[in-house]
Amino acid sequence: MRAIGIVLAGGNNHRIKELTKKRAVCAMPIAGSYRSIDFALSNMSNSHINKVAVFTQYNAGSLNEHLASSKWWDFGRKQGGLYVFTPATTAESNAWYRGTADAIAQNLSYLKNSHEPYVVISSGDCVYKMDYNKVLEYHIEKKADITVVCKDMAADVNVDRFGTIKMNEDCRIEEFEEKPIVAKSNTISCGIYVVRRRQLIEMIEKCAEEDRYDFVKDILIRYKNMKRIYGYKIKEYWSNIATVDDYYKTNMDFLNPEIRNYFFRQYPDIYSKVDDLPPAKYNTGASIKNSLISSGCIVNGKVEDSVIFKKTYIGNNCYIKNSVILNDVYIGDNTHIENCIVESRGTIRANSYHKGENGIEIVVEHNDRFVI
Amino acid sequence: MVKKEMIAMLLAGGQGSRLGVFTSKVAKPAVSFGSKYRIIDFPLSNCINSGVDTVGVLTQYQPLRLNTHIGIGIPWDLDRNIGGVTVLPPYEKSANSEWYTGTANAIYQNMDYMESFNPEYVLILSGDHIYKMDYEVMLDFHKQNGAEVTIAVMPVPMEEAKRFGIMITDKDRKIVDFEEKPANPRSNLASMGIYIFNWKTLKEALLTNAEQPGLDFGKHVIPYCHAKGAPLYAYEFNGYWKDVGTLNSYWEANMELIDIVPEFNLYEEYWKIYTRSEILPPQYLASDSVVERSIIGEGSEIYGKVYNSVIGCGVTIGAGTVVRDSIVMNETHIGSNCELYKAIIAENVEINDDVKLGVGEEAENETDPHIYNNGIVAVGEKSVIPRGVSVGKNSVIFGVTSAEDYGNGALPSGKTLIKAGDK
């Protein structure tokens, strides 16, 4: 085993609005059957990284429920395993995680007690498939101190919520700006890093001494001229879900057969907690066009260009269009839902009408549900 | 010392030859059912839901699929420190090695397994029925009556009673007599092949009758216990229970799942049925798809039209294809512009474009009319059907077939085309 893993899953983002009222961003449901963190965890497992730590903080409960057993990602092993670190008061500290570097600093023993030479760090709110071994090979070949996975975004994408990167012809990072007002480059950091374990310990300890807490600002940007920081560019699919629009778009991307094929049919697989739901059921009157339907759903109405998550009930004569319906939603008869994200466990009364007029509307409705 | 109140022994070694090609490479309990499940999922889920956490699964016929499916029992929460699920194949002994020669003989050969849990009661199950049953309630009934043997029974229509083992009871449900497939039944309580034995009674009965060739519960053990004067009781079960032993009953039981509120409801909150799920992604229904009165498993991609059908996981159905009244099992690919009527397609089958299944006149099957009838077309696992052929009713295809196997591009009704499996 050459590397251990860290998944950063503690953050919240106001740009995803009420969808994180009850859950962490990394616990957001994705593509019908998964949650955001499944992608990072499956990548770790598929890259044979057996020892992985997940740092949680904001709404940690939702993630803990999902991570209650590590067997789904094949981490239930004698060697390695899944470690969930939620802030705790200790003899040394009674602070929350004040940033990503602080989260690692507060759990430094995890790094110190490992013997693997490298650490792979990933954020848990990104949807992608990656063999970290390839980044690791590159990291070694470049004799880098830190390797940052990065991607060229299309020219029309606003990158002001990402870290932007400029590299020289050798791919060494020359400029790194966090959330720039005016971006000088359309190459962004994907929030995936490879670093030597001892190097990381050293830098994190230094940061902690100086009361600095952020991995990007206080390590990547601060050290960029001192240390050899390299960019590893990917062309494959990668998406961050931490805004409502990106979250919506990422889910809709799975209606594209190429993306579905890439994630679902090409080895290796993405794993998730198994829910033991029955097959989806379509009754007379159901009509589904270009949509994803998950297990446990019962459909009586019309669905077009939508992603329906698990265990959703769609009543007679409903019309669902361009929408994302999260887990376990009950939609009463004759309801019209268009351009919406419907929050999970919602109950929508019969004859309701929801249409996102200027962009995506988030529907959170918890009416009484009468189950037969 | 380990002590389990009740352990279960699940008989899963039978071939189930009346399912034809579907059990030619797979033991019947491992045959897929209701899109994502396999038949054995039902008794295994019943066990864990009833609090029975120690299950011995007796295998013999074609056990590979069954073994991989059960694994260490994770899907049913039967991976336990003490107990859990154990697969019990026949094994060689220093003397008198033999296959399992009968239901009770199989149990007899695993005396040591049962002994190791020091049980009070032993539950005997078979791996080929679709039902949800709380064995704990049956055990309560067994204890209340001070029974030594309790047999689960189900009331069946009087005219069908002659196909079953029938129990004749007094008003307290104590069994006074029984008859196997009687011409003139005296009762309509049919045995479901589910027994609870006091361990002491079972052990004594097995040891005493050990030399009986083909030792069987219905034929030997129960009559022996009765003759000895042990109190035998009949536990009446009134829920859904379906024997899927024939292709027809298998097809019917699958079709019952697509009713608007199925009698056997998989969507109930409690009493979940567990299975090993290897395919997780949602299913995709394309712009030109039509799906009505059907159930579909995870990861399937539907571009065509599906009516009144049960579709498994990871299945693709091409554009312009029409599937009606059919069962399609996991990972099968059906090309474009096909027509399927009342077909049962096993796992990993490749059906190329423009194929028609189940068309033409009715004709009796030439080789096994007692298996393939009622217009069903059966296609065995890993079969390949070449482009553009049409296949009649009551026909069977098994193996990799090519255009030459179909005279004039057609396989008439009632024909058997088998190119794989044990000859």
Side-chain angles (χ1 to χ4, degrees):
Chain A
M1 281 339 109
R2 287 189 301 173
I4 55 171
I6 289 178
V7 178
L8 301 170
N12 184 26
N13 195 323
H14 67 276
R15 295 188 227 217
I16 198 152
K17 298 185 188 159
E18 48 275 57
L19 290 175
T20 54
K21 198 170 168 192
K22 63 177 187 189
R23 63 168 84 80
V25 179
C26 297
M28 288 294 294
I30 301 284
S33 314
Y34 302 90
R35 288 183 187 265
S36 173
I37 199 168
D38 290 335
F39 292 85
L41 290 179
S42 302
N43 288 335
M44 292 282 178
S45 175
N46 290 332
S47 303
H48 309 293
I49 297 173
N50 294 348
K51 185 175 177 183
V52 175
V54 179
F55 293 127
T56 67
Q57 175 158 290
Y58 176 79
N59 268 346
S62 58
L63 265 180
N64 289 344
E65 197 185 321
H66 188 60
L67 304 177
S69 169
S70 64
K71 66 182 163 196
W72 313 118
W73 305 274
D74 214 3
F75 288 125
R77 302 283 141 206
K78 284 188 175 177
Q79 296 192 346
L82 188 69
Y83 295 71
V84 180
F85 293 115
T86 310
T89 50
T90 62
E92 289 84 38
S93 152
N94 57 3
W96 293 97
Y97 296 154
R98 288 157 290 191
T100 43
D102 189 40
I104 302 174
Q106 288 194 32
N107 298 289
L108 207 57
S109 59
Y110 168 73
L111 292 180
K112 287 187 165 169
N113 297 342
S114 300
H115 61 87
E116 292 81 349
Y118 296 97
V119 184
V120 174
I121 303 174
S122 170
S123 55
D125 59 356
C126 298
V127 173
Y128 67 106
K129 216 170 176 180
M130 179 178 282
D131 182 355
Y132 298 125
N133 289 312
K134 290 197 178 131
V135 193
L136 192 54
E137 296 295 332
Y138 176 89
H139 179 83
I140 294 165
E141 183 197 312
K142 290 284 182 192
K143 295 191 173 60
D145 290 313
I146 304 175
T147 298
V148 180
V149 175
C150 54
K151 184 174 170 70
D152 289 339
M153 299 303 271
D156 59 333
V157 175
N158 185 359
V159 294
D160 68 2
R161 68 185 187 88
F162 297 110
T164 59
I165 285 171
K166 261 195 157 170
M167 300 188 277
N168 68 11
E169 60 282 7
D170 187 38
C171 292
R172 186 160 172 183
I173 293 178
E174 290 181 325
E175 280 192 55
F176 196 121
E177 279 189 293
E178 180 69 346
K179 302 189 174 78
I181 294 169
V182 181
K184 291 182 202 148
S185 143
N186 243 40
T187 307
I188 61 152
S189 159
C190 297
I192 304 159
Y193 318 105
V194 172
V195 51
R196 203 153 49 78
R197 185 174 55 89
R198 287 184 187 286
Q199 174 87 69
L200 182 64
I201 293 172
E202 194 184 293
M203 289 191 298
I204 293 282
E205 279 181 332
K206 192 100 188 300
C207 264
E209 269 169 34
E210 296 167 350
D211 288 332
R212 296 175 187 274
Y213 305 124
D214 189 67
F215 187 79
V216 174
K217 215 167 66 206
D218 299 322
I219 292 182
L220 290 181
I221 295 179
R222 209 165 126 79
Y223 283 94
K224 71 171 185 292
N225 299 323
M226 249 171 78
K227 298 282 181 190
R228 294 168 59 85
I229 304 184
Y230 277 79
Y232 176 88
K233 225 176 239 186
I234 53 165
K235 292 205 163 58
E236 290 83 8
Y237 185 92
W238 175 90
S239 167
N240 177 286
I241 57 151
T243 73
V244 170
D245 287 345
D246 283 327
Y247 176 68
Y248 176 83
K249 187 181 170 300
T250 303
N251 277 300
M252 288 299 169
D253 280 344
F254 282 86
L255 294 178
N256 175 338
E258 276 164 35
I259 290 171
R260 232 169 30 242
N261 183 41
Y262 174 64
F263 279 103
F264 298 161
R265 302 231 159 179
Q266 280 176 29
Y267 185 81
D269 288 346
I270 304 296
Y271 315 110
S272 188
K273 184 177 162 196
V274 172
D275 271 341
D276 296 292
L277 291 166
K281 186 162 185 285
Y282 303 90
N283 292 326
T284 311
S287 159
I288 293 95
K289 308 284 176 204
N290 187 37
S291 297
L292 284 169
I293 313 283
S294 310
S295 52
C297 288
I298 300 180
V299 185
N300 295 293
K302 277 197 170 67
V303 180
E304 277 179 26
D305 307 312
S306 297
V307 179
I308 314 293
F309 284 69
K310 294 176 193 172
K311 222 181 147 191
T312 286
Y313 176 88
I314 297 174
N316 289 310
N317 206 21
C318 285
Y319 182 64
I320 317 286
K321 168 105 182 149
N322 292 332
S323 293
V324 174
I325 315 285
L326 300 186
N327 295 308
D328 194 12
V329 173
Y330 180 96
I331 301 175
D333 296 351
N334 311 316
T335 293
H336 180 112
I337 295 177
E338 194 171 345
N339 303 333
C340 289
I341 297 175
V342 179
E343 174 61 305
S344 64
R345 302 192 206 295
T347 302
I348 297 186
R349 286 206 184 98
N351 308 312
S352 304
Y353 185 92
H354 292 281
K355 185 174 180 185
E357 296 291 355
N358 307 304
I360 302 306
E361 182 188 324
I362 296 174
V363 180
V364 185
E365 270 198 30
H366 294 287
N367 299 305
D368 288 334
R369 190 185 301 192
F370 301 101
V371 183
I372 314 152
Chain B
M1 189 179 176
V2 172
K3 172 94 195 153
K4 294 272 180 188
E5 188 187 25
M6 180 158 79
I7 65 168
M9 298 296 273
L10 208 169
L11 296 158
Q15 174 179 3
S17 56
R18 286 171 306 160
L19 286 181
V21 285
F22 300 104
T23 51
S24 74
K25 297 296 259 180
V26 184
K28 178 164 141 192
V31 169
S32 108
F33 180 84
S35 168
K36 67 185 287 192
Y37 304 100
R38 294 185 190 278
I39 295 169
I40 199 171
D41 291 336
F42 297 88
L44 281 179
S45 301
N46 286 339
C47 278
I48 198 68
N49 290 337
S50 308
V52 178
D53 68 0
T54 307
V55 185
V57 179
L58 298 111
T59 62
Q60 176 157 287
Y61 175 80
Q62 290 281 13
L64 178 63
R65 183 80 54 82
L66 199 53
N67 290 344
T68 7
H69 185 64
I70 294 170
I72 59 164
I74 287 177
W76 306 271
D77 256 352
L78 285 169
D79 51 325
R80 297 289 164 135
N81 286 344
I82 298 165
V85 66
T86 310
V87 176
L88 303 167
Y91 55 94
E92 197 179 335
K93 302 163 196 72
S94 52
N96 298 328
S97 297
E98 57 176 357
W99 293 100
Y100 294 154
T101 58
T103 50
N105 175 267
I107 304 290
Y108 167 72
Q109 292 197 40
N110 288 288
M111 202 69 107
D112 291 347
Y113 171 79
M114 294 184 287
E115 197 93 75
S116 71
F117 293 105
N118 189 20
E120 212 50 51
Y121 308 99
V122 177
L123 170 68
I124 309 287
L125 302 170
S126 66
D128 43 11
H129 299 130
I130 308 295
Y131 64 112
K132 294 182 191 173
M133 182 172 175
D134 192 339
Y135 304 132
E136 213 174 357
V137 176
M138 183 173 167
L139 180 61
D140 287 344
F141 174 90
H142 179 86
K143 288 185 202 162
Q144 265 165 25
N145 289 301
E148 287 190 33
V149 186
T150 297
I151 301 170
V153 294
M154 214 178 71
V156 293
M158 214 54 183
E159 57 273 21
E160 283 187 35
K162 56 180 175 296
R163 297 200 293 120
F164 295 93
I166 293 297
M167 302 291 143
I168 296 113
T169 67
D170 67 11
K171 62 179 187 338
D172 299 322
R173 289 283 179 237
K174 187 167 190 218
I175 295 172
V176 292
D177 201 2
F178 42 80
E179 27 193 36
E180 190 64 23
K181 299 191 175 126
N184 298 304
R186 286 186 281 154
S187 135
N188 68 337
L189 296 176
S191 165
M192 299 161 68
I194 300 167
Y195 313 104
I196 291 179
F197 280 88
N198 284 359
W199 167 233
K200 282 199 193 104
T201 310
L202 178 64
K203 189 175 168 183
E204 193 271 330
L206 292 175
L207 289 173
T208 312
N209 295 290
E211 298 307 317
Q212 171 71 43
L215 188 61
D216 183 89
F217 278 103
K219 287 197 199 100
H220 310 114
V221 176
I222 302 291
Y224 168 81
C225 293
H226 186 59
K228 214 182 62 173
L232 270 60
Y233 277 80
Y235 169 74
E236 190 176 323
F237 177 74
N238 284 301
Y240 182 95
W241 181 82
K242 192 95 179 177
D243 177 74
V244 287
T246 66
L247 266 197
N248 249 314
S249 61
Y250 173 81
W251 182 83
E252 273 169 21
N254 271 285
M255 290 302 143
E256 281 168 8
L257 296 173
I258 61 180
D259 290 344
I260 189 115
V261 179
E263 195 189 338
F264 188 69
N265 197 342
L266 294 166
Y267 297 82
E268 285 168 342
E269 266 308 314
Y270 69 102
W271 218 268
K272 265 191 181 176
I273 303 299
Y274 302 96
T275 188
R276 181 175 296 274
S277 306
E278 274 149 11
I279 303 171
L280 297 176
Q283 50 201 269
Y284 175 74
L285 277 66
S287 296
D288 298 323
S289 71
V290 176
V291 177
E292 266 193 25
R293 265 180 60 85
S294 297
I295 55 173
I296 302 182
E298 282 100 335
S300 289
E301 304 240 330
I302 313 292
Y303 294 88
K305 299 177 171 57
V306 179
Y307 305 95
N308 301 329
S309 295
V310 174
I311 311 291
C313 304
V315 170
T316 26
I317 295 180
T321 290
V322 179
V323 177
R324 259 181 214 280
D325 308 323
S326 296
I327 300 167
V328 181
M329 302 184 200
N330 294 356
E331 309 267 15
T332 278
H333 298 279
I334 302 175
S336 307
N337 303 315
C338 297
E339 289 171 36
L340 276 70
Y341 302 99
K342 214 173 176 182
I344 306 179
I345 317 290
E347 297 167 52
N348 296 296
V349 170
E350 187 75 45
I351 298 180
N352 286 289
D353 297 351
D354 308 312
V355 167
K356 290 185 173 62
L357 297 182
V359 291
E361 295 297 306
E362 281 277 343
E364 196 173 74
N365 184 269
E366 56 181 6
T367 49
D368 306 283
H370 60 290
I371 299 177
Y372 309 106
N373 45 41
N374 264 322
I376 291 172
V377 183
V379 181
E381 64 170 36
K382 296 180 185 149
S383 295
V384 176
I385 300 182
R387 191 187 172 120
V389 300
S390 74
V391 175
K393 298 186 166 102
N394 300 324
S395 52
V396 200
I397 296 172
F398 187 27
V400 178
T401 63
S402 58
E404 295 86 72
D405 299 318
Y406 301 80
N408 298 324
L411 188 72
S413 292
K415 290 286 174 197
T416 301
L417 175 55
I418 293 186
K419 299 184 82 183
D422 306 325
K423 292 276 157 35

